[in-house]
Amino acid sequence: MKKISFLILISITTCLVAFSQYSPDPLLKIIDGFESYVEKMPQEKVYIHFDKPYYTTGETIWFKAYLTAGVNHEPSPLSRTIYVELINEQRQLVENVALYSINSTAAGHILLTDSLASGNYLVRAYTNWMKNSGEAYFFHRSVKIWNNEVMPGSNVDSQEALDVQFFPESGDLINGIISKVAFKAIGTDGLGRRIKGKVLDGSEIVTEFESNDLGLGVFYISPQLGSLYTAVIGNDEMEVPLPPVKEAGLALSVNNASDASDIIVKIQSTNDDELKNGYIVAQTRGLVCYSARVDLSTNSAIAKIPKAELPAGILQITVTDHNGMPLAERLTFIDQKEEIKIIVTPNKTVYKPRELVELRIQATDTNGLPLVGDFSLSVSDNQQVLVDENRENINSYLLLSSELTGHIESPGYYFNSSNEDRQEALDYLLLTQGWRKFTFKDALEQKLETPMHSIEQGLTIKGKMLNVHNDKPAIEGKVQYMSVHPIQETRSAITNAKGEFEMNNVTYFDQGYAMIKGETKKGRKSINRVTYLNRRNIQRSFC
């Protein structure tokens, strides 16, 4: 029997080197920089599985949190405290809970009061350690909540303004080098819009293009210096200039066919002495899994990156100059097709109302071998709760959404095997979506900031104890803490000259019960109150 943790991923511990065994300092610096980043700043990720996609006031949001860390999304050995927050459209905190993570999972709930207004709310989840990377790395999910059984409307104006952007595959259009150009069209609501258009050089039509339903697509162009290319959208109702053509530079193209065993990387440059030698580096989540020296003396080079041992997820391919400075980058996706197959078998085919339902759940890998894992299951009435089959899931979040910046519409679309164009659409997405990870410049400069936020194995409680007779600080007094949920625990601390105390990594959480009491240095219980402030700035007092 094989054991898994959330996802089946392949671990790579070696660096593949092509073209040449020669490894100059810039390349070593880059590799060392990424290795230091992975070792000293392991990235934690939180994924929340909700019981429903939307709610009404008075209901309860039930959920389970999964906490992973590192390149292979293994159960996190770092944090045990997970914060989950509900935020309204005014960016105000409505509800929050702190969960105690056992084996990197935790179950929780948020009660939706009747006073909540209808609208789109944000559920945000994170650990204290994740603050070192910034809020962009937190888990975010928009949840619809409505009051008085009235569903918020979403009318789309067909005449609304569009935002259309164009992205050459390697970043720039270079004179005389045929380039793939991706584009993205979104409406005022941030969702994709299907468009058609043509590219003009003056009055001459160079090529035509059409997007998919998500507003994504590509076309090819052979740019010429001096030409000013313009994209005309629809019936000549919108014009968008393409990026200017550069006289010299480097172009990168990547062919990652789903049925091919290798990724084909083609590099072309102009006659520029500065671009005769360089390096190609490919990394996934900070793990450098391919590096090579590139000889551009003929202004062209081709590399093959074997896919068999690459980890699943986004692969960042970067071409640098001889000093290690990046010249062109491209994201592509590695699908190792190591998905979990889950079979749910009920004990009956028909049930009476409120009759007990027993389910047999079997999890296997692609070869049919049984798997051991930690799972969660939500059950809802399909006549009352509409579920989008292209919604976010743990696979799409860990491997895709958590690696990119900006909103990704229907992320589950790219992992839904019923969508025949999903791999092509995913390539379009990666050509147009922003990348937010540790950069090559940071790696080359060995830029690794000291973490400001520590790893939490529980909550931090700080407070003050006052004497009942004079309301003065109780110096060298004893504060005792006890809780029975989620685990039985007792703690004690001695107050300082200001009556202050602190307890770290306490396993008390919002959905548990705790008691705290104090006594003076001489053992008297004549304490007016013990006030403490926990990590989430909630003040509480005990008499």
Side-chain angles (χ1 to χ4, degrees), residues 50-55 142-144 380 385-388 391:
F50 298 94
D51 63 323
K52 295 197 305 180
Y54 46 81
Y55 301 87
S142 177
V143 175
K144 285 186 178 293
S380 57
V385 179
L386 301 178
V387 178
D388 179 9
R391 66 194 182 281

Side-chain angles (χ1 to χ4, degrees), residues 251-391:
L252 168 68
S253 64
V254 173
N255 186 345
N256 182 16
S258 59
D259 57 350
S261 59
D262 298 320
I263 299 173
I264 306 301
V265 180
K266 185 176 182 180
I267 305 168
Q268 299 179 82
S269 73
T270 56
N271 269 327
D272 190 331
D273 292 338
E274 295 297 319
L275 299 178
K276 293 304 181 184
N277 294 292
Y279 309 99
I280 179 172
V281 180
Q283 63 91 15
T284 297
R285 296 183 290 275
L287 176 68
V288 177
C289 40
Y290 178 91
S291 64
R293 183 182 180 185
V294 180
D295 180 4
L296 291 174
S297 58
T298 60
N299 299 326
S300 180
I302 294 178
K304 292 184 178 181
I305 303 178
K307 293 193 286 187
E309 295 186 5
L310 295 177
I314 296 176
L315 182 72
Q316 180 192 32
I317 301 173
T318 304
V319 177
T320 76
D321 63 15
H322 62 282
N323 291 317
M325 297 302 296
L327 300 173
E329 292 185 341
R330 172 74 149 89
L331 303 182
T332 190
F333 191 86
I334 305 300
D335 182 5
Q336 296 296 2
K337 298 181 174 61
E338 293 195 0
E339 298 180 354
I340 301 172
K341 183 178 181 181
I342 297 178
I343 301 175
V344 180
T345 307
N347 62 327
K348 297 175 64 175
T349 56
V350 179
Y351 294 90
K352 298 177 182 179
R354 299 187 180 279
E355 185 178 359
L356 179 65
V357 177
E358 295 182 6
L359 300 176
R360 182 176 181 271
I361 301 175
Q362 183 181 20
T364 62
D365 62 12
T366 52
N367 297 318
L369 298 176
L371 299 172
V372 176
D374 198 324
F375 303 92
S376 53
L377 172 70
S378 64
V379 180
S380 57
D381 188 340
N382 63 0
Q383 300 297 317
Q384 299 185 31
V385 179
L386 301 178
V387 178
D388 179 9
E389 64 179 4
N390 294 321
R391 66 194 182 281

Side-chain angles (χ1 to χ4, degrees), residues 11-180:
S11 175
I12 297 181
T13 56
T14 59
C15 174
L16 306 177
V17 180
F19 290 20
S20 171
Q21 297 298 321
Y22 173 62
S23 297
D25 288 345
L27 183 58
L28 289 178
K29 279 189 175 182
I30 291 172
I31 295 174
D32 289 343
F34 276 103
E35 287 180 350
S36 296
Y37 175 72
V38 170
E39 179 183 354
K40 298 177 182 178
M41 294 290 292
Q43 184 64 53
E44 283 191 316
K45 296 181 182 180
V46 177
Y47 176 77
I48 304 291
H49 178 203
F50 298 94
D51 63 323
K52 295 197 305 180
Y54 46 81
Y55 301 87
T56 60
T57 55
E59 289 188 316
T60 299
I61 300 178
W62 298 96
F63 62 87
K64 184 172 181 178
Y66 294 88
L67 179 60
T68 71
V71 173
N72 293 319
H73 295 131
E74 296 174 337
S76 177
L78 307 175
S79 303
R80 298 176 74 179
T81 305
I82 301 174
Y83 300 100
V84 182
E85 301 171 338
L86 181 67
I87 300 170
N88 63 19
E89 293 178 341
Q90 290 71 45
R91 301 292 295 177
Q92 297 171 327
L93 183 64
V94 176
E95 294 288 347
N96 52 40
V97 294
L99 303 176
Y100 180 65
S101 171
I102 302 176
N103 297 325
S104 298
T105 65
H109 66 273
I110 297 175
L111 178 63
L112 303 177
T113 62
D114 294 333
S115 60
L116 289 179
S118 299
N120 292 314
Y121 287 73
L122 175 70
V123 175
R124 181 172 65 186
Y126 57 93
T127 66
N128 195 56
W129 177 253
M130 290 170 65
K131 292 180 181 179
N132 292 304
S133 301
E135 187 179 341
Y137 290 81
F138 294 0
F139 173 87
H140 295 88
R141 176 69 57 82
S142 177
V143 175
K144 285 186 178 293
I145 299 174
W146 65 95
N147 201 322
N148 298 324
E149 304 297 330
V150 177
M151 184 72 170
S154 57
N155 297 322
V156 177
D157 184 0
S158 60
Q159 301 299 317
E160 67 176 344
L162 286 175
D163 179 20
V164 183
Q165 301 178 57
F166 293 88
F167 305 87
E169 181 174 16
S170 57
D172 297 309
L173 294 176
I174 309 299
N175 178 40
I177 299 179
I178 297 176
S179 299
K180 178 191 291 186

Side-chain angles (χ1 to χ4, degrees), residues 163-174 178-186 195 199 209 214-221 223 231 240-244 252-253 329-331 405-407 427-435:
D163 179 20
V164 183
Q165 301 178 57
F166 293 88
F167 305 87
E169 181 174 16
S170 57
D172 297 309
L173 294 176
I174 309 299
I178 297 176
S179 299
K180 178 191 291 186
V181 179
F183 62 91
K184 175 169 61 175
I186 57 176
I195 62 169
V199 176
F209 57 86
L214 297 173
L216 303 171
V218 299
F219 59 83
Y220 289 87
I221 186 174
V240 181
L242 266 62
L252 168 68
S253 64
E329 292 185 341
R330 172 74 149 89
L331 303 182
T405 59
H407 173 70
D427 197 49
Y428 298 166
L429 175 71
L430 294 179
L431 281 164
T432 60
Q433 203 77 19
W435 178 250

Side-chain angles (χ1 to χ4, degrees), residues 400-468:
L400 182 68
S401 303
S402 61
E403 300 289 310
L404 301 174
T405 59
H407 173 70
I408 300 177
E409 182 182 354
S410 302
Y413 184 93
Y414 308 103
F415 295 82
N416 187 344
S417 58
S418 63
N419 299 323
E420 295 182 357
D421 68 333
R422 65 188 183 97
Q423 293 176 332
E424 182 181 68
L426 179 54
D427 197 49
Y428 298 166
L429 175 71
L430 294 179
L431 281 164
T432 60
Q433 203 77 19
W435 178 250
R436 70 180 183 207
K437 291 297 182 181
F438 187 66
T439 67
F440 268 73
K441 184 177 180 181
D442 292 338
L444 191 62
E445 297 176 355
Q446 304 287 303
K447 183 180 179 181
L448 191 62
E449 297 181 357
T450 302
M452 296 180 60
H453 303 277
S454 61
I455 295 171
E456 281 187 330
Q457 294 285 314
L459 294 179
T460 296
I461 293 178
K462 298 180 181 180
K464 179 179 288 189
M465 188 165 65
L466 303 177
N467 193 293
V468 69

